[in-house]
Amino acid sequence: MKLTKRAVDAARPKTQRYFLWDTQLLGFGLLVTPAGHKSFVAQYRAEGRTRRFTIGTLGAPWAPESARERARVILGRAAEGVDPQRDKTEERRSMTIADMCDLYVNEGLATRKPGSVYAARSDLDNHIKPLIGTLRAATLSAEDVDKTLLAIAAGKTAGRRRTGRKRGLSRVRGGKGAANSSIATLSAAFGFAIRRGLRPDNPVRGVRKYPEKKLERFLSPAELARLGEALAAAEALGVENPYAVAAIRLLVLTGCRKNEILGLERTWIDAHNSCLRLPDSKTGAKVVHLGAAALEIIEALEPVAGNPYLLPGRGGVGRIADLQSVWERIRSAAALRDVRLHDLRHAFASLGVSGGDSLLVVGALLGHRTAATTHRYAHLSDHPLKAAADRISHEAALMMRLKREGEPQPLRARQVAPPPGQGGLLGEVIATRWMDTPAAAAYLGHTVGTLQTYRWMGTGPSFRKIGRRVVYAQGDLDAWRASLASSQVDEGAPNARTVAWPDGDAS
């Protein structure tokens, strides 16, 4: 067909890449990848073999007509015996860092996901180009890379940048984390340049980056119980979106990533086989096996007519976009202020490893590509290294006469199941009756003002704060009333007690 704008726009991606060839100019074509990336090419023969010249990606400045004119020039030079591809290589060897970065984003990341392309573009546009964008890619040295790393860490690229949106501003921060990320992206860009023959080596390789602190927070059974209590209270009183509450519970019960749960569509749920069939994720298509508790939550969520998502957004339109604000209120109520949403995935994995499941099984449940990713949880299991450490330390203690011969070696304790009373993430915690301040005051026979005075004085029954709402558990009200009655037996005893907040601060 003739490659017109309508024909190019109508081209749809397939399972494999394919070409559409123009009937008006032989050798001029359009390449369409499975990811939907479209680029114009010119194909010719030189030195007895077929060569393919990439003109550019669809979009400014390359429209079908402008690309056709460029292809006409390329094919004409090839007919004269000149190899345009060789000329292109020579031109690229003299390109700047900025040009190389643009080429890497447009062609080297053509098959990557939009999030990966956005992150790489941000590193290059905000940090690399402003510092070394005018230098030649072929002559960049390791010393230049070292200085770039230090400059980004010192905040020399920090500031505000205009975005493509109307009146849009982006606040760019430097620092060691931004420096490490930007240098890693630059290294990937040079890896692409090596494949394209722009230079024979990677000047970024061997540059020492700043040490990074890996955040690995694991929740204890008591912390999981507090989280379940806060979620149950928020749900019972209606102070939070019930779909957001369900999303947080599913993060704990499935080990999925946040976007895998928020973007979950109902057609991906296979209730018969108790699994989720995700067509795409960070590691590609995968199957997530569901436990009975997770499936119970999913089946209890009411669908919204015409909305394909399991967790619809405000007004039943679209899906929940983010959980951060809800999570900050919930974790504050549960006294888990240092816990991130992603740490709930760690909690799922740690429970599996501590319960005796192998790293291979846990890695498969989490959807890890390699076993090395799951190895961070190895210290939670009864690893042979632990047994060796116990044996060696016991022998050393005997030699130092800290132990007596024949004294049994202590067994390493391992808590597999939560202690009694703390296992009700979805059980007895939900059965707890929660009351707001007016309901609690009526239950105790007091006024709202009396309960407010108790809170101000740091006395009275225990309470929680969900956002701005103060809530009471019926069991705490009963316990406080019982302790009040017993204290009044002794005429001189105080008629109230100080109650500690979940994080230990009395108020």
Side-chain angles (χ1 to χ4, degrees):
M1 65 178 69
K2 181 181 179 180
L3 290 182
T4 61
K5 184 178 184 304
R6 178 178 297 181
V8 170
D9 293 340
R12 294 291 179 262
K14 300 180 181 179
T15 56
Q16 294 181 342
R17 71 174 194 165
Y18 67 96
F19 293 89
L20 292 177
W21 297 106
D22 187 61
T23 54
Q24 186 179 33
L25 179 61
L26 298 182
F28 173 53
L30 176 74
L31 169 63
V32 183
T33 69
H37 177 76
K38 300 176 183 179
S39 57
F40 295 103
V41 298
Q43 185 168 290
Y44 59 91
R45 290 188 65 82
E47 300 177 355
R49 60 176 182 159
T50 301
R51 305 295 297 272
R52 188 175 297 135
F53 186 102
T54 301
I55 299 173
T57 304
L58 174 64
W62 300 116
E65 291 305 320
S66 59
R68 179 181 284 103
E69 291 304 317
R70 175 62 173 160
R72 199 184 305 277
V73 174
I74 294 170
L75 296 174
R77 289 177 59 83
E80 295 173 355
V82 179
D83 187 354
Q85 190 70 35
R86 182 172 299 173
D87 293 343
K88 182 179 180 181
T89 302
E90 294 298 327
E91 292 176 3
R92 286 185 172 180
R93 285 176 179 169
S94 62
M95 69 170 46
T96 63
I97 295 292
D99 294 334
M100 183 195 72
C101 291
D102 292 338
L103 182 67
Y104 169 65
V105 171
N106 294 330
E107 298 185 15
L109 298 179
T111 59
R112 302 292 294 276
K113 296 182 179 180
S116 300
V117 177
Y118 177 82
R121 191 189 299 274
S122 298
D123 286 339
L124 299 174
D125 291 348
N126 295 330
H127 302 290
I128 300 300
K129 288 183 181 180
L131 291 174
I132 57 174
T134 58
L135 299 182
R136 289 182 57 192
T139 60
L140 189 75
S141 65
E143 181 181 357
D144 296 327
V145 179
D146 286 333
K147 292 180 179 179
T148 303
L149 176 73
L150 297 175
I152 298 174
K156 291 187 178 180
T157 54
R160 293 192 175 185
R161 307 275 196 278
R162 289 195 172 275
T163 63
R165 298 179 180 179
K166 186 178 181 180
R167 299 178 182 177
L169 286 177
S170 173
R171 184 177 179 182
V172 179
R173 297 179 176 88
K176 296 179 180 179
N180 286 348
S181 176
S182 300
I183 294 302
T185 304
L186 181 62
S187 179
F190 270 105
F192 170 76
I194 292 174
R195 294 196 302 272
R196 290 295 180 91
L198 303 183
R199 65 176 290 162
D201 62 332
N202 186 346
V204 186
R205 185 169 299 166
V207 174
R208 297 192 62 178
K209 295 185 290 186
Y210 291 97
E212 296 181 352
K213 181 180 179 181
K214 292 185 178 181
L215 301 176
E216 294 181 359
R217 176 69 159 82
F218 303 99
L219 276 70
S220 67
E223 289 175 328
L224 280 174
R226 294 207 307 269
L227 175 59
E229 186 180 64
L231 289 170
E235 181 183 46
L237 293 171
V239 296
E240 296 293 354
N241 183 348
Y243 291 107
V245 172
I248 295 174
R249 285 178 173 149
L250 287 175
L251 290 175
V252 180
L253 299 178
T254 64
C256 287
R257 299 177 179 89
K258 180 186 67 174
N259 289 334
E260 293 172 352
I261 292 297
L262 295 185
L264 184 61
E265 297 187 15
R266 290 187 172 271
T267 55
W268 302 346
I269 301 170
D270 186 349
H272 177 73
N273 294 300
S274 299
C275 65
L276 306 176
R277 302 188 182 276
L278 304 182
D280 193 18
S281 69
K282 182 179 178 180
T283 55
K286 72 175 185 179
V287 175
V288 178
H289 298 278
L290 298 175
L295 193 59
E296 179 183 348
I297 292 179
I298 290 175
E299 292 179 341
L301 292 173
E302 292 292 333
V304 175
N307 193 323
Y309 294 104
L310 177 71
L311 303 170
R314 183 177 300 177
V317 179
R319 65 176 180 87
I320 296 178
D322 193 41
L323 290 175
Q324 190 59 35
S325 59
V326 177
W327 173 244
E328 288 177 358
R329 293 190 291 268
I330 292 294
R331 73 179 181 182
S332 177
L336 301 172
R337 290 184 175 87
D338 64 330
V339 178
R340 306 166 301 158
L341 273 171
H342 192 72
D343 293 328
L344 303 183
R345 178 173 164 88
H346 294 325
F348 176 86
S350 64
L351 288 175
V353 175
S354 299
D357 296 312
S358 68
L359 296 180
L360 182 64
V361 170
V362 173
L365 289 175
L366 296 177
H368 287 163
R369 283 180 176 174
T370 63
T373 309
T374 318
H375 197 263
R376 71 179 71 177
Y377 307 108
H379 65 282
L380 300 174
S381 64
D382 284 340
H383 198 275
L385 292 178
K386 291 185 178 181
D390 285 338
R391 176 180 53 79
I392 295 171
S393 63
H394 183 68
E395 292 179 1
L398 290 176
M399 297 177 185
M400 297 173 63
R401 302 191 185 283
L402 298 175
K403 298 284 185 182
R404 294 180 180 179
E405 191 69 39
E407 185 176 346
Q409 182 178 350
L411 296 177
R412 183 181 295 273
R414 185 184 66 172
Q415 189 180 53
V416 176
Q422 293 186 349
L425 185 62
L426 295 172
E428 67 267 15
V429 172
I430 284 183
T432 301
R433 183 184 174 194
W434 293 89
M435 308 178 191
D436 56 11
T437 302
Y443 184 75
L444 294 174
H446 295 312
T447 64
V448 172
T450 301
L451 286 185
Q452 291 174 341
T453 302
Y454 280 149
R455 294 200 300 271
W456 176 74
M457 296 176 62
T459 61
S462 301
F463 62 91
R464 297 281 191 276
K465 289 192 71 174
I466 309 293
R468 296 184 178 181
R469 293 281 293 272
V470 176
V471 299
Y472 297 85
Q474 181 178 344
D476 291 336
L477 297 178
D478 293 337
W480 180 78
R481 183 159 52 185
S483 66
L484 185 65
S486 62
S487 65
Q488 289 176 347
V489 174
D490 205 356
E491 189 173 340
N495 59 1
R497 62 184 179 88
T498 301
V499 179
W501 282 57
D503 57 2
D505 296 332
S507 57

